[in-house]
Amino acid sequence: MDHKSTFLKSLTNFSGKRQKIAIITIVSIVVISYGLFFYLQNNTESNIRNTLFEQQKQRQIESTRIISQHIGSDLSLVMSMLDGLANSLYLQQGDLYGDQTKKLLEEKYNQYNTVINRLFVLDKNDIVTNSLAPKGAETFLGQDFSLRDWIKETRATLKPVFSDGFERQGIYRIFITYPIIERGTGEYIGTIATSIPTVGFFAHYGNIYDVKSQYLAVLDSNSTQLIHPVESFVGTPFFGNYTQETTGHNDILNNLISTVMAGKPSFAVYEFKNGERLNTGYPIFVQGTPRYSAFVITPTSTIYSQINSIISLERLEMFSLLAGTTAAVIVLILFLMKWSSSLDNEVKRRTIELDESNQRLKLVSLDLRKANDSLVESNRQLALANQQLEIQDKAQKEFINVAAHELRTPIQPILGLSQILRSMKRDDSEHDEFLDAIIRNAKRLKRLTENILDVTRIESHLMQLRKEVFNLNEVISMAVEDYRIRVQNLNSNAKLLYRPRGYHNFNGDDFIFVHADKERITQVISNLLDNAIKFTGRDDGPIVITIETREKKENQEEAIVTIKDNGPGIDPEILPKLFSKFASKSFQGTGLGLYLSKKIIEAHVGKVWAENNRDGKGATFYFSLPINNRSYDTP
């Protein structure tokens, strides 16, 4: 405020020569400001141009990757169609000539004729026995294809073959072959083949006609150009004399082509005869193997024309803003100069008021400084208290861990010696009853110490999972069988029913494979079964264990395991905090088992929950695990 009052006082004293000096100073500031503006604007425009070009390059790289993947996906579909035909009943039986085979070919041809233009079958002597083609076109029926390189390769390798491009009847095309091999004997029966016109096929994925805008080019494994807006390039090898002379033996472009043909995506910016080019390449993978190479080429002039239009608009906006600001400043200064005399008195009055305000602000500032010092001291005390709490919490965890270990140390000899005594033949039934009580309570104490140790591992982030792929149905079945034996030994009337569901293989076995820690999942199942048995009385119904699968999201399924009992149900007071530590109203447990089960399942990216049954009797516990889809075909 002091600086503003001084500035206003100086304005009121302008007269004659001083006003001229002020005007010259203002004009000089405006001129310098405009010069600085244009200098900074040029630097900013250069940075914007580079940034926008980099963004366009990244978008084109991503677009090329997507185009390559789409082409590979469509070629994979054609491969799957040929695979299905080669393994069909009629062709496996050697019926390469019959009407049934022709009907099957017609069905597939009508389904894929937007991609392929011929579909034909060759016998073991490479003679065409069945063929479909567009109306009026050559069918190849009865022709001998034994001299074709892609037929020779198919016979030699007994594997699918993607041919290089070549011209036939004025149409440039590629061929895909698939050997027909009798599954039982492995005997070569013949070949199923199709041809794809390159123009009709690749035109779906981008511009292949106009070389002055962004366009698509595709090369085969021998660098032969399958498609290009310049027709004279189609069918010629890129590294041949014609193309190399046309491109001027461009090393940057040659290195790009070589890198992509080697199976690695790449890009390059290079000078061409009629301007600079941005070229992004990506290999076309079919069933994991690079078969062809796709390139998207853009004249950088088209990119810069868009960038320049954006920059011009930005320049106009900034210049308009600067001009408007300058005009506003000039008007404001003229206004201040005109009214300087009337402002002089106001400035004096305000100066006195400001002096008084400054004095009051100094006092307030002093109070604030004292308050701030007090707050700093309070924060320091709070930090010390928080540090002390952390030390106490760490000491408590260490004590629990040590105590659990110390408790576990005498449990094992107590169990071992008690079982030895129990196995000794004695006629004293009361002695046996006491030993049973010792063993039962020692086992209970052992489970408690193990649960306490697991809790400390979880809260200290020390629990490690030993994951493997296993059949969840099998683990649940074994756990249920163990508990059936345990229930019988306890002379309990509780019944366990296991109803597995899942994916089925050809032998009718149930397989639901998960990638998890087998021991920890068994621990969760045991905890839930213990909980169900504990609350199931003699007159209650059976405990029912089920497993189902459901789709969680696209290409991802999960297994849902449920354990339903018919006991008294879950107390409404406990239900919201059921899976918390020590959340139990029973005298038979600590409440740690459900807490551990929740942490173990969540560590496997699963979920565990519970609810009372709708009929008002008993409760149902659930947990879910992601299914390992890659293991469905495991024998």
Side-chain angles (χ1 to χ4, degrees):
M1 297 296 292
D2 290 338
H3 294 296
K4 289 185 178 180
S5 62
T6 303
F7 177 67
L8 293 175
K9 288 180 180 179
S10 64
L11 288 178
T12 59
N13 296 324
F14 278 168
S15 61
K17 185 176 180 181
R18 290 185 177 181
Q19 291 184 358
K20 292 180 181 179
I21 294 174
I23 294 174
I24 294 173
T25 302
I26 293 172
V27 172
S28 300
I29 292 174
V30 171
V31 172
I32 294 173
S33 298
Y34 273 89
L36 183 61
F37 163 75
F38 286 113
Y39 172 76
L40 295 176
Q41 182 69 18
N42 287 334
N43 289 338
T44 302
E45 289 177 1
S46 177
N47 293 333
I48 292 174
R49 186 178 286 105
N50 293 335
T51 300
L52 292 177
F53 182 84
E54 183 65 25
Q55 292 175 355
Q56 177 63 28
K57 182 186 74 176
Q58 294 300 325
R59 284 195 293 267
Q60 182 168 318
I61 291 173
E62 179 65 15
S63 174
T64 307
R65 181 186 68 82
I66 293 173
I67 290 172
S68 172
Q69 290 178 348
H70 283 181
I71 295 173
S73 176
D74 288 344
L75 292 177
S76 294
L77 287 176
V78 175
M79 280 285 293
S80 298
M81 180 267 290
L82 296 178
D83 179 28
L85 289 173
N87 288 280
S88 64
L89 177 62
Y90 303 116
L91 294 179
Q92 283 291 309
Q93 292 176 348
D95 182 9
L96 308 182
Y97 300 85
D99 292 336
Q100 295 296 335
T101 298
K102 188 170 183 178
K103 288 181 181 179
L104 182 60
L105 292 177
E106 288 175 348
E107 177 186 344
K108 296 299 182 182
Y109 182 76
N110 292 333
Q111 184 179 356
Y112 288 88
N113 61 8
T114 57
V115 178
I116 64 176
N117 73 334
R118 280 182 173 80
L119 182 61
F120 52 97
V121 180
L122 296 88
D123 61 16
K124 64 174 61 180
N125 296 318
D126 303 328
I127 305 298
V128 179
T129 61
N130 235 319
S131 178
L132 294 174
K135 187 176 181 180
E138 182 182 4
T139 63
F140 304 147
L141 196 61
Q143 292 189 21
D144 183 357
F145 275 48
S146 60
L147 298 180
R148 301 288 195 274
D149 291 338
W150 35 278
I151 293 296
K152 292 179 181 179
E153 185 178 352
T154 304
R155 286 177 57 87
T157 63
L158 297 181
K159 293 181 179 179
V161 173
F162 286 78
S163 77
D164 294 328
F166 63 89
E167 182 182 1
R168 185 176 178 87
Q169 297 178 338
I171 299 176
Y172 210 77
R173 65 188 77 200
I174 57 175
F175 282 81
I176 304 175
T177 63
Y178 203 99
I180 305 171
I181 302 172
E182 207 283 324
R183 290 192 295 268
T185 63
E187 177 185 0
Y188 173 71
I189 299 174
T191 300
I192 180 79
T194 185
S195 67
I196 300 176
T198 57
V199 172
F201 179 67
F202 291 111
H204 292 95
Y205 307 102
N207 167 38
I208 62 171
Y209 302 105
D210 185 8
V211 75
K212 294 182 180 180
S213 60
Q214 186 181 86
Y215 63 89
L216 174 67
V218 180
L219 278 65
D220 64 18
S221 60
N222 288 326
S223 82
T224 302
Q225 300 175 85
L226 302 180
I227 198 69
H228 196 283
V230 180
E231 293 185 4
S232 61
F233 283 172
V234 177
T236 62
F238 180 83
F239 293 105
N241 291 333
Y242 177 75
T243 304
Q244 287 296 304
E245 290 177 0
T246 304
T247 60
H249 297 275
N250 192 312
D251 291 336
I252 298 176
L253 178 58
N254 290 343
N255 290 334
L256 169 65
I257 299 299
S258 299
T259 301
V260 177
M261 287 183 62
K264 298 179 180 179
S266 187
F267 70 91
V269 178
Y270 52 86
E271 287 291 337
F272 200 60
K273 290 184 177 180
N274 53 352
E276 190 180 58
R277 295 288 187 269
L278 169 62
N279 193 335
T280 54
Y282 208 95
I284 300 173
F285 290 91
V286 182
Q287 296 182 343
T289 303
R291 303 291 186 179
Y292 304 103
S293 301
F295 298 87
V296 175
I297 301 97
T298 304
T300 57
S301 58
T302 62
I303 300 175
Y304 284 124
S305 64
Q306 299 173 1
I307 295 175
N308 289 335
S309 63
I310 296 174
I311 291 177
S312 297
L313 180 61
E314 179 70 17
R315 183 187 299 139
L316 179 62
E317 291 177 354
M318 291 299 297
F319 183 79
S320 299
L321 178 62
L322 182 62
T325 303
T326 303
V329 170
I330 292 174
V331 170
L332 179 61
I333 292 175
L334 293 176
F335 176 80
L336 292 175
M337 292 177 65
K338 182 177 180 181
W339 292 94
S340 61
S341 58
S342 61
L343 289 176
D344 184 47
N345 294 330
E346 182 68 17
V347 167
K348 292 179 180 178
R349 185 178 66 83
R350 290 291 180 90
T351 301
I352 296 173
E353 292 178 355
L354 286 173
D355 290 339
E356 294 175 352
S357 298
N358 287 335
Q359 293 299 323
R360 289 194 295 270
L361 285 175
K362 289 179 180 179
L363 295 176
V364 172
S365 177
L366 181 61
D367 293 338
L368 287 175
R369 188 178 298 109
K370 292 179 180 179
N372 183 64
D373 293 339
S374 177
L375 182 60
V376 170
E377 178 63 22
S378 298
N379 287 338
R380 188 182 67 81
Q381 295 293 336
L382 183 61
L384 292 175
N386 185 55
Q387 184 179 7
Q388 188 64 29
L389 285 175
E390 291 179 354
I391 294 172
Q392 291 177 0
D393 182 64
K394 182 178 179 182
Q396 181 182 12
K397 289 180 179 179
E398 291 178 353
F399 171 75
I400 292 173
N401 192 23
V402 172
H405 277 286
E406 291 299 322
L407 283 172
R408 189 171 60 173
T409 300
I411 289 173
Q412 194 60 39
I414 291 174
L415 279 174
L417 294 175
S418 298
Q419 289 171 349
I420 291 173
L421 288 174
R422 184 70 179 84
S423 63
M424 296 173 64
K425 295 183 179 180
R426 295 182 60 92
D427 297 330
D428 189 350
S429 59
E430 185 178 0
H431 173 271
D432 292 341
E433 183 179 344
F434 290 160
L435 281 177
D436 288 340
I438 292 173
I439 293 172
R440 184 171 59 255
N441 284 280
K443 288 182 176 179
R444 181 180 176 187
L445 186 58
K446 180 181 179 182
R447 285 195 302 271
L448 173 61
T449 57
E450 292 295 340
N451 286 343
I452 293 174
L453 285 174
D454 281 341
V455 168
T456 57
R457 291 190 189 103
I458 289 173
E459 294 184 344
S460 301
H461 305 288
L462 297 176
M463 185 179 73
Q464 296 182 349
L465 299 179
R466 298 179 179 88
K467 290 188 175 183
E468 59 180 302
V469 177
F470 60 87
N471 182 5
L472 185 58
N473 266 334
E474 180 182 351
V475 170
I476 297 176
S477 297
M478 293 173 63
V480 170
E481 187 61 29
D482 289 343
Y483 270 83
R484 285 189 182 133
I485 297 172
R486 188 181 303 178
V487 167
Q488 291 174 1
N489 292 337
L490 293 174
N491 295 322
S492 173
N493 290 330
K495 295 181 179 179
L496 300 179
L497 297 179
Y498 178 41
R499 298 172 179 171
R501 290 179 60 190
Y503 289 92
H504 300 274
N505 67 0
F506 296 120
N507 296 323
D509 296 326
D510 291 329
F511 290 105
I512 299 181
F513 287 99
V514 296
H515 185 229
D517 188 322
K518 189 174 183 179
E519 181 178 348
R520 289 296 183 181
I521 298 302
T522 302
Q523 181 182 354
V524 171
I525 297 168
S526 298
N527 286 342
L528 296 181
L529 285 175
D530 278 334
N531 188 74
I533 293 172
K534 179 171 61 177
F535 292 103
T536 301
R538 292 179 178 272
D539 299 328
D540 296 329
I543 298 170
V544 181
I545 303 97
T546 63
I547 181 169
E548 296 182 352
T549 59
R550 71 180 182 186
E551 185 172 353
K552 184 177 182 182
K553 58 183 180 180
E554 185 178 357
N555 297 326
Q556 177 63 60
E557 291 184 303
E558 63 179 358
I560 307 294
V561 179
T562 64
I563 299 177
K564 179 180 179 182
D565 63 62
N566 289 280
I570 305 171
D571 190 307
E573 181 182 345
I574 293 296
L575 187 57
K577 53 184 179 180
L578 182 62
F579 293 96
S580 302
K581 287 187 297 185
F582 312 116
S584 174
K585 295 187 72 174
S586 167
F587 294 104
Q588 303 179 35
T590 61
L592 293 179
L594 294 181
Y595 170 76
L596 289 173
S597 299
K598 178 175 182 292
K599 292 300 182 180
I600 291 171
I601 292 300
E602 289 177 348
H604 287 83
V605 199
K607 182 181 178 184
V608 61
W609 69 99
E611 62 184 11
N612 284 317
N613 296 331
R614 294 184 179 179
D615 59 5
K617 186 175 182 181
T620 302
F621 285 75
Y622 308 82
F623 72 86
S624 64
L625 288 173
I627 290 177
N628 186 1
N629 289 318
R630 293 175 294 180
S631 296
Y632 288 157
D633 55 354
T634 302

